[in-house]
Amino acid sequence: MITAKGKSVSGGIAIGPVRWHQGEERIAAAEWAEDRERELIRLEKARNAAVLRQQGLYERSLKELGKGTAEVFAAHIMMLEDIDLLTAVRRKIKEQGHTAEYAVQEAFEAQAKRLSGLDDDYMGERARDVIEMQKELMTALREDSPGYLWNGSGREDPEKPAILLAEDFMPSNVVRLDRSSLLGLVTREGTQNSHTAILARTMGVPMLVQCGEIGESWDGHCAVLDADAGIVYLDPDREMLARYESREKKQEAGRSELQDLKGKASETRDGRRIRMVANISSPEDLNAAREADAEGIGLFRSEYLFLDGDRFPTEEEQFQVYRKAVEAFAPKRVVIRSCDIGTDKRTAYMQLPTEENPALGCRAIRFCLCHPDMFRTQLRALLRASAFGNLGILLPMISSESELSESRTMLKQCREALLREGMPVGSYTLGIMIETPAAVMIADELAGNCDFFSIGTNDLMQYTLAMDRTAPAMNRYFDTHGDPGYTALLRQIRMAVKAGHRHGIPVGICGELGAVPELTEALLRCEIDELSVNPGAILPLRKKIRELDLRN
Ligand code: PEP
Ligand code: MG
């Protein structure tokens, strides 16, 4: 048995087989085939696997996102069955003696080039689809394809749940994983406040980061992941397995005790009532939020919708998702944050420029205002969804009055355009994230022009203490509860709350500190009105709040 230690960023226990996640890098294709017949068979197998995967995605999208999104996958299937394209690939193998990989690469690239040369937006889109399907086939041609493991085709036992290991995961990797097959995550690198760690907490998946001893050779072995203790055991003996199985049962019992708190108020003994709402990153989290008795959604990180794809989602696709979210919680409020892209939340198709300091660069509201077409598309989708429930629109990382007023103007223009088009638009509230010291300093001016504040402590901490939240070396500074860093942070929270209350608007916290029980009392003493946390943290925090007495 091997024991490896890491840093826990999402608690819980997982027992199961381990898989090493290779990442998305591609192996360059060898040009010449040794056996042409064998290459043709490999091509056929890969094509079948790719079609199966697209069918799976089609069905999943149809169920979760609606017909509009699902049609993308139907088009992909047609492309994988395109006779002309397939004939071109087969010829390259049969007549010219190329490998399946090389033939796919060449034929699909030529087709994409032809389509994008037609100077037509629709054909340009199709060219992107061709490249997408080229990648699918290349992935399927690789024997050990993690994409296939997690999406249900092409591997020996594809749907078997597993603990996934990797050097590191980008949020865009995690958001694409099939949750039903995901028991836990362990990485060599990574940090506590990275968006990947937050995603794991939101999904309720146990996760360790900075676990230096894991390696590719672990693939296929059995492991116990104890993310509460920060340990992963490879090849556990019987006794260890039995111990953890019984611990899992006890945890289950502890969770059912918390169920008694459902329907009860999150109120201190002296009568201070806090709204407990949920952070989510996809419509798949809505159930967990409801199960946890959330009083609404305090932060829907819409950018994950943008990361779980290979192009910017259309207005219709976004509208379907937002509508589903507001309808699921109506009449309770669902706060959807406009896309917070940049830093670690990026993916290839966005073609973001490389920045020396991305956290100080074109991210969040800056990105949106620099890409008005994309922003307008999202605002229109949000406004259309407002007709179906109680919607709050939240703008990330507002640091100046002009960013707020520019966004308000765009919202107003989108609303007027929709009404002119005869689209139903409801009412909504507009909030801003307080994530920079600049926002705290001008909180009075900002509060006069919006309906609520939501304090993003993850970024407020990063920008207040000048500490990169994704740098492993900074982790220990984020950890030291009660040190001067927290004093500076708590003082800013108090300032923002006071400014909000002076203008009669509520102030909540949606950063990860909101879920740290050791800080709950301090946050309540700052007079916050709302805590928005991952669904799994709601009932434990309600328990904590009900035990507090702020008179003491
Ligand atoms: C925050 O910064 O605290 C926050 C909630 O936003 P994100 O973690 O998505 O940057
Ligand atoms: Mg933030």
Side-chain angles (χ1 to χ4, degrees):
M1 181 168 73
I2 298 174
T3 305
K5 286 197 174 148
K7 186 171 171 44
S8 174
V9 296
S10 176
I13 291 167
I15 303 172
V18 158
R19 295 273 178 259
W20 182 265
H21 182 87
Q22 293 286 1
E24 291 180 350
E25 73 281 6
R26 298 273 176 268
I27 294 166
E31 197 172 340
W32 303 110
E34 283 174 14
D35 179 343
R36 297 180 189 198
E37 278 314 308
R38 190 175 150 261
E39 292 304 299
L40 284 169
I41 293 169
R42 286 184 66 231
L43 171 71
E44 214 32 49
K45 267 186 168 169
R47 201 179 65 82
N48 286 338
V51 168
L52 261 177
R53 179 172 134 86
Q54 294 301 312
Q55 268 164 357
L57 290 171
Y58 174 83
E59 275 148 32
R60 191 168 137 194
S61 315
L62 195 61
K63 213 161 63 199
E64 292 168 10
L65 303 172
K67 204 163 167 29
T69 314
E71 268 160 12
V72 174
F73 302 108
H76 285 172
I77 295 169
M78 275 168 66
M79 198 161 287
L80 290 167
E81 287 169 348
D82 183 305
I83 290 293
D84 292 342
L85 195 51
L86 281 175
T87 308
V89 179
R90 285 184 190 129
R91 274 211 187 115
K92 283 183 187 295
I93 299 174
K94 222 154 99 186
E95 294 169 14
Q96 296 166 20
H98 289 304
T99 59
E101 282 91 342
Y102 191 85
V104 164
Q105 200 170 282
E106 294 288 297
F108 275 64
E109 254 160 39
Q111 172 77 341
K113 222 175 186 171
R114 251 193 313 276
L115 292 172
S116 53
L118 292 176
D119 197 22
D120 171 315
D121 284 352
Y122 176 79
M123 290 303 173
E125 275 297 317
R126 297 293 70 77
R128 273 189 283 279
D129 286 340
V130 172
I131 293 298
E132 192 43 40
M133 288 308 96
Q134 180 208 47
K135 285 191 205 153
E136 279 292 315
L137 284 172
M138 296 296 271
T139 307
L141 284 165
R142 279 180 60 184
E143 244 177 38
D144 237 4
S145 161
Y148 286 85
L149 167 66
W150 296 104
N151 290 290
S153 59
R155 276 259 313 223
E156 216 182 304
D157 194 1
E159 286 178 355
K160 199 167 169 193
I163 299 167
L164 204 54
L165 311 187
E167 284 298 329
D168 202 0
F169 289 107
M170 289 293 279
S172 55
N173 299 136
V174 176
V175 83
R176 288 163 196 243
L177 299 175
D178 175 1
R179 294 184 189 196
S180 58
S181 305
L182 184 61
L183 296 178
L185 295 165
V186 184
T187 61
R188 270 217 195 105
E189 299 183 355
T191 64
Q192 164 101 17
N193 269 332
S194 69
H195 290 101
T196 302
I198 293 172
L199 205 49
R201 289 195 282 276
T202 307
M203 289 158 61
V205 173
M207 179 174 184
L208 296 189
V209 297
Q210 296 169 29
C211 196
E213 287 128 293
I214 58 167
E216 220 169 321
S217 60
W218 287 35
D219 189 281
H221 290 247
C222 176
V224 167
L225 166 60
D226 180 348
D228 297 326
I231 299 179
V232 53
Y233 302 97
L234 191 71
D235 297 328
D237 53 32
R238 271 164 185 259
E239 192 207 324
M240 166 87 63
L241 272 176
R243 186 146 37 96
Y244 271 96
E245 273 156 11
S246 97
R247 251 183 71 180
E248 259 191 328
K249 279 194 195 115
K250 274 198 199 122
Q251 281 196 346
E252 195 51 53
R255 275 195 286 273
S256 53
E257 260 173 44
L258 286 171
Q259 303 300 309
D260 294 344
L261 290 171
K262 285 187 178 173
K264 299 206 171 130
S266 302
E267 188 171 321
T268 61
R269 291 183 174 196
D270 54 318
R272 269 283 305 288
R273 198 172 174 149
I274 305 295
R275 266 169 50 80
M276 292 293 311
V277 289
N279 288 349
I280 62 166
S281 48
S282 113
E284 285 179 69
D285 300 323
L286 286 165
N287 256 346
R290 246 197 320 250
E291 274 297 297
D293 199 28
E295 295 172 63
I297 299 298
L299 172 65
F300 180 166
R301 289 178 160 97
S302 70
E303 55 275 11
Y304 287 111
L305 243 157
F306 291 66
L307 295 179
D308 187 11
D310 295 294
R311 55 174 173 75
F312 286 105
T314 63
E315 177 184 319
E316 186 59 28
E317 286 163 355
Q318 292 187 58
F319 164 64
Q320 295 296 347
V321 173
Y322 305 152
R323 175 182 172 167
K324 185 174 173 185
V326 293
E327 278 182 341
F329 265 85
K332 293 174 182 160
R333 188 172 71 173
V334 171
V335 174
I336 303 180
R337 179 172 73 182
S338 65
C339 176
D340 180 4
I341 280 177
T343 61
D344 54 344
K345 287 187 279 197
R346 53 166 63 214
T347 192
Y349 79 82
M350 292 173 183
Q351 298 188 338
L352 302 189
T354 308
E355 293 174 294
E356 280 286 319
N357 296 298
L360 305 180
C362 191
R363 63 166 292 205
I365 196 68
R366 298 172 190 164
F367 181 88
C368 292
L369 293 172
C370 287
H371 296 82
D373 289 344
M374 183 220 79
F375 195 27
R376 225 173 271 121
T377 302
Q378 180 167 41
L379 295 180
R380 282 175 59 94
L382 285 165
L383 288 167
R384 284 174 59 193
S386 69
F388 295 88
N390 180 353
L391 175 72
I393 298 177
L394 182 59
L395 305 171
M397 228 177 109
I398 292 283
S399 298
S400 69
E401 286 181 83
S402 63
E403 284 168 344
L404 176 55
S405 66
E406 258 185 75
S407 308
R408 288 182 71 102
T409 305
M410 282 181 75
L411 259 168
K412 188 167 165 270
Q413 288 166 346
C414 289
R415 186 167 187 278
E416 285 164 1
L418 284 167
L419 291 174
R420 270 198 309 276
E421 292 163 32
M423 295 274 195
V425 179
S427 56
Y428 61 91
T429 47
L430 179 67
I432 62 163
M433 300 271 303
I434 301 285
E435 303 189 271
T436 64
V440 176
M441 299 313 287
I442 57 165
D444 271 299
E445 288 84 341
L446 297 172
N449 281 306
C450 66
D451 304 310
F452 62 96
F453 280 169
S454 190
I455 305 178
T457 52
N458 310 332
D459 278 317
L460 188 55
M461 185 93 168
Q462 150 163 280
Y463 297 123
T464 297
L465 302 178
M467 294 188 316
D468 182 348
R469 63 194 269 192
T470 62
M474 295 296 107
N475 230 345
R476 68 192 175 99
Y477 298 105
F478 278 99
D479 271 354
T480 49
H481 296 167
D483 86 348
Y486 279 82
T487 310
L489 192 77
L490 286 172
R491 201 168 287 171
Q492 291 193 75
I493 292 175
R494 218 169 284 126
M495 286 166 72
V497 172
K498 283 210 157 76
H501 288 177
R502 269 195 293 277
H503 293 266
I505 66 167
V507 183
I509 290 195
C510 63
E512 295 300 291
L513 287 189
V516 177
E518 294 79 11
L519 290 178
T520 309
E521 180 171 349
L523 296 178
L524 261 57
R525 287 190 188 281
C526 290
E527 308 216 333
I528 52 134
D529 304 295
E530 178 184 281
L531 283 174
S532 190
V533 295
N534 67 73
I538 290 182
L539 292 175
L541 279 178
R542 182 172 291 170
K543 182 167 184 282
K544 169 90 195 179
I545 290 168
R546 289 171 67 85
E547 286 162 4
L548 287 175
D549 190 336
L550 301 175
R551 286 169 299 198
N552 304 325

